[in-house]
Amino acid sequence: MQRDGATTSLWQHNVSDHNAGGATLPGTVDVLIVGGGITGLATALLLQQSGKQCLVAEAHTLCYGTTGGTTAHLNTFFDTTYDMVESDFGEEGARLLHTAARSALDLVKRNIAEFGIDCGHSDRDGYVYAQTEKQEQQLDKTFQSSVNAGAEVEYTDTIPVPLPFRKAIVYRRQAQFHPTRYVLALAKAFESLGGRIVQGCRVQDFESEGDLLHVNTSFTRITARWLIWATHIPPGINLLHFRNAPYRSYAIAAKLSDEAAYPEGLAYDLYDPYHYYRTQEVDGERYLIAGGEDHKTAHETNTEGCFAKLEAHVRNHFPVAEVAFRWSSQYFEPSDGLPYIGHLPGNPDNVLVATGYSGNGMTYSHIAAMTLSDLIVKGESGYAKLLAPGRVKPVAGFMDFVKENADVVAQFVGKRLKASTLKELADLAPGEGRLVKYEGTSIALYKDAGGKLYALNPVCTHAKCVVDWNSAERSWDCPCHGARYDVNGDVLTGPARKNLEPIDLEELDS
Ligand SMILES: Cc1cc2nc3c(=O)[nH]c(=O)nc-3n(C[C@H](O)[C@H](O)[C@H](O)COP(=O)(O)OP(=O)(O)OC[C@H]3O[C@@H](n4cnc5c(N)ncnc54)[C@H](O)[C@@H]3O)c2cc1C
């Protein structure tokens, strides 16, 4: 199974890409869902079950995005803690969020039961533990606000991982599963109900005509009554790009030398970024999954080092026999802590979006599925106001972050490299990528294992920030809004619509 990076996640192992068949595409649909990750498929299935004719269009293959690079904890608590939600959205907002989370986890279970999905799902307790005095105070606040929000949470004297701790709480009825097996099964269920899926089809833009949207794709033009951007972040330039910051996060799946050392529950520490652990059995083999070392996209030069730090941390506490898989992936941090689910600002009323999930998209995808399908089928949703993308809750410092990166823009326009500089530029190790300076402007240069050079204009085609090299995933990543490109400059993940401009070195050599 393919993914948007060079590393292989546990969820790609022994899983084949979805075969959507080669039938012709419908010219008109009720709902065009763009993006074949967990959000796209969970939403499409609910809508198809409600009698809507739906088409899912995926630019690559299903689960190519972050869904293939997740760690798949299903939680009713979030990276934005309930005390933060309470202070910004009120007690009622926190209670509503918890109700939504509980319903999301129930929906996952209903899907699994209804369609007989074999995806290693099991209910688990989720432990959060404090290791310092300051974290203890934070934990107490989180505990009280979680109780207020309606969570089944209590203090506990034990945690399922061998780390020292001062205080801990446990959330009951959390869960875990194998995310790509779940999503691929949702895809089959969706198709069995008459839904259609097209892969390798990038949705570009649309024109609106009355209640209809004429949507341009890399295949054909499709007319839809509704359009949902389930693309993790919507493409093009939109208000939401200034309210979401892209982050990279790292994970490993390790085999342990002692069977008794695999944790029974889900566990999270309280550092920022935090570490987390769980166990998943896949095809009869158990793995310890651990994650952390998050940073803003393209703000860490040594991305390989993030894996090394994570692995060292895990080896310090667990009897690791072998690290079987290691991978990194991207998420989007919303500026006020809650995701943006509903009408996409600046667009016609029938264009919807779901983005800004932080590290909680397994749950938020199902909250999005319920919210968006209710908005389309019933015209309203109990969660719509809380999660409305048009809400205004600016956070100090966030805009500075975007501006700071936008400032470094330098255009590589019509410049030509001299042959003499090529030698200097070629001074890269095989497999290395780097921004190199040429007459005051930057060039994104990568040398493959065979010594071939790939040169690109590093100016991101989305909002003109400058991309940087991600050695762990062999990609060019944009620090501003998270667009990512492969070594040929082709878009791996949005919001960019266009590839990076290639620079023909042979031509320049003359
Ligand atoms: C390392 C890591 C660990 C995580 N762990 C957890 C966890 O334990 N629990 C949890 O709840 N959440 C977790 N998350 C977050 C969660 O994985 C994501 O929020 C979730 O997978 C996002 O799903 P999605 O379907 O919205 O987006 P994606 O899975 O990214 O899917 C979007 C799809 O849209 C396609 N696409 C994009 N643009 C276009 C276009 N123009 N036309 C057609 N297709 C397009 C892409 O190819 C992609 O396949 C984690 C995130 C990371 C990075």
Side-chain angles (χ1 to χ4, degrees), residues 34-35 37-39 58-59 65-67 70-73 203 357 359-362:
V34 190
I38 192 164
T39 303
E58 163 57 50
T66 298
T67 299
T70 186
T71 48
H73 300 227
V203 174
Y357 288 170
N360 307 115
M362 299 294 105

Side-chain angles (χ1 to χ4, degrees), residues 164-467:
F165 70 102
R166 295 166 66 107
K167 205 178 223 185
I169 59 176
V170 53
Y171 291 87
R172 304 297 181 194
R173 291 202 296 140
Q174 310 300 296
Q176 61 181 36
F177 66 165
H178 187 305
T180 55
R181 288 195 173 148
Y182 173 72
V183 173
L184 294 184
L186 291 190
K188 287 209 175 110
F190 169 68
E191 286 177 326
S192 73
L193 295 171
R196 305 286 297 278
I197 296 174
V198 55
Q199 300 181 103
C201 174
R202 183 167 290 279
V203 174
Q204 284 137 350
D205 50 22
F206 62 84
E207 287 112 46
S208 161
E209 185 195 356
D211 290 346
L212 297 178
L213 301 163
H214 303 296
V215 185
N216 300 311
T217 79
S218 53
F219 278 12
T220 178
R221 207 162 201 242
I222 295 160
T223 298
R225 289 184 177 79
W226 293 87
L227 176 68
I228 297 177
W229 293 112
T231 47
H232 209 185
I233 190 86
I237 303 247
N238 185 277
L239 176 70
L240 293 187
H241 298 118
F242 301 95
R243 298 214 174 135
N244 283 287
Y247 278 73
R248 302 293 303 169
S249 185
Y250 297 78
I252 60 175
K255 305 284 304 159
L256 302 183
S257 56
D258 176 3
E259 277 296 309
Y262 287 103
E264 274 303 312
L266 317 172
Y268 312 78
D269 71 24
L270 277 173
Y271 286 98
D272 184 16
Y274 62 95
H275 296 102
Y276 54 89
Y277 318 88
R278 74 178 186 87
T279 302
Q280 179 81 40
E281 190 171 313
V282 179
D283 300 332
E285 295 279 334
R286 294 175 100 192
Y287 297 90
L288 168 75
I289 297 174
E293 302 302 330
D294 307 15
H295 59 78
K296 281 180 181 165
T297 297
H299 279 63
E300 168 64 62
T301 25
N302 184 7
T303 50
E304 284 285 343
C306 297
F307 280 125
K309 273 193 251 166
L310 179 61
E311 186 176 332
H313 172 82
V314 174
R315 283 186 185 275
N316 217 5
H317 299 288
F318 292 87
V320 173
E322 176 206 352
V323 172
F325 299 91
R326 49 176 229 164
W327 67 96
S328 72
S329 192
Q330 185 152 290
Y331 64 87
F332 290 91
E333 197 65 46
S335 61
D336 64 7
L338 290 192
Y340 301 101
I341 299 170
H343 170 241
L344 179 62
N347 281 254
D349 291 347
N350 47 353
V351 178
L352 308 180
V353 70
T355 186
Y357 288 170
S358 308
N360 307 115
M362 299 294 105
T363 303
Y364 279 139
S365 55
H366 286 70
I367 294 179
M370 294 183 292
T371 307
L372 299 178
S373 67
D374 277 354
L375 284 175
I376 290 175
V377 176
K378 301 179 186 160
E380 59 184 12
S381 156
Y383 310 129
K385 191 165 168 236
L386 179 68
L387 305 175
R391 68 182 184 264
V392 182
K393 289 230 177 243
V395 167
F398 186 77
M399 292 305 285
D400 289 348
F401 157 70
V402 172
K403 198 163 142 279
E404 193 183 303
N405 290 295
D407 284 342
V408 297
V409 172
Q411 291 274 19
F412 184 93
V413 188
K415 291 261 166 72
R416 286 286 175 263
L417 290 177
K418 289 187 195 117
S420 58
T421 56
L422 270 181
K423 195 161 163 287
E424 183 194 325
L425 294 181
D427 189 21
L428 291 168
E432 191 186 354
R434 204 193 303 152
L435 283 181
V436 295
K437 281 278 181 208
Y438 176 76
E439 291 184 358
T441 58
S442 291
I443 298 168
L445 201 66
Y446 168 72
K447 187 191 266 185
D448 71 14
K452 184 178 168 202
L453 283 170
Y454 300 71
L456 300 165
N457 179 350
V459 178
C460 179
T461 59
H462 174 241
K464 309 238 177 286
C465 300
V466 172
V467 297

